[in-house]
Amino acid sequence: MADHEYEDRVPDNVHTVYRFYPTEEELVSFYLSNKLLNHRTHDLHRVIPVVNVYEHNPSHFPKLAGELCQRDTEQWFFFVPRQEREAQGGRPSRTTSLGYWKATGSPTYVYSSDNKVIGVKKTMVFYEGKSRMVKKTEWKMNEYRAIKLEADGTNTFPVPKLRHEWSLCRVYVVSGTTRAFDRRPFGIGPTTEASRGASSSSGNIITSKCSCPQSSCPYDHEMLSEE
């Protein structure tokens, strides 16, 4: 999930840097799932802080990134709490002072490496301006929500339900490359030593057990209809 250049491999005058390369499976099954369970939040927030992305204009995101991802120039990740109006049954507001986020395409499922549905991804584009003076920008966002299987007395099998308490958003600028999402350096996979997540000051490591091969991310499977 992150590429860490260890100190014993570089000269003393070179600073060590984390590069965060999560797959979509890791984002949903590890990071978002732990956030929903309120587990290891201090470590999680060092790479994915809590930010209401709809209260900020896209140019603010690099400065709002997690402390271990401050130098990332390609993509930024945030945990986003459910808005009050959404909790009351309304639609979330996606309008900022300079424009608004608009959904594009249909939501898609996020699958685990063993082909189970674990979440839903919605893609949005930022439009700058108001009324008729609107311009489509290069800013895009993937919003991830986890799916939980809940027992239902009327059904034999558990019913999948979306978790709305928290979502995880990945914000990025369109680069034109087909590998704009999971761009680990070649030779570094999700299960190698160098693919571990954020390190805390106490030496604890955030790491998932994703065995998804690099070529299978990002996922592109059957569509989920809009609500």
Side-chain angles (χ1 to χ4, degrees), residues 21-22 74-75 170 175 177 179-185 214:
Y21 293 100
E74 298 180 337
Q75 55 186 5
R170 170 202 173 226
S175 64
T177 175
R179 296 185 67 246
F181 182 72
D182 185 13
R183 289 195 280 176
R184 289 187 180 85
Q214 182 174 334

Side-chain angles (χ1 to χ4, degrees), residues 28 108-111 116-121 145-147 162 224:
V28 175
T108 59
Y109 288 124
V110 176
Y111 286 79
K116 294 180 180 179
V117 176
I118 57 174
V120 172
K121 178 179 74 172
R145 294 182 187 269
I147 287 179
L162 274 179
L224 178 71

Side-chain angles (χ1 to χ4, degrees), residues 9-67:
R9 300 179 188 174
V10 295
D12 293 337
N13 61 342
V14 177
H15 295 289
T16 57
V17 177
Y18 280 96
R19 297 301 303 277
F20 193 43
Y21 293 100
T23 64
E24 293 190 317
E25 178 181 8
E26 292 167 339
L27 287 176
V28 175
S29 66
F30 182 78
Y31 290 95
L32 182 54
S33 293
N34 273 284
K35 179 61 178 175
L36 288 166
L37 292 171
N38 200 33
H39 289 169
R40 305 186 67 176
T41 54
H42 173 73
D43 288 339
L44 291 174
H45 293 167
R46 299 187 70 197
V47 285
I48 307 179
V50 174
V51 174
N52 188 340
V53 295
Y54 303 114
E55 293 181 352
H56 301 274
N57 294 309
S59 59
H60 298 164
F61 293 139
K63 294 182 179 180
L64 297 172
E67 63 178 281

Side-chain angles (χ1 to χ4, degrees), residues 33 42 50 66 96 115 130 151 158-159 163 172 178 203 209 220 222 225:
S33 293
H42 173 73
V50 174
T96 74
N115 208 35
K130 303 289 184 180
V159 178
R163 298 290 301 272
Y172 61 101
T178 58
K209 300 184 184 300
D220 184 15
E222 62 184 289
S225 60

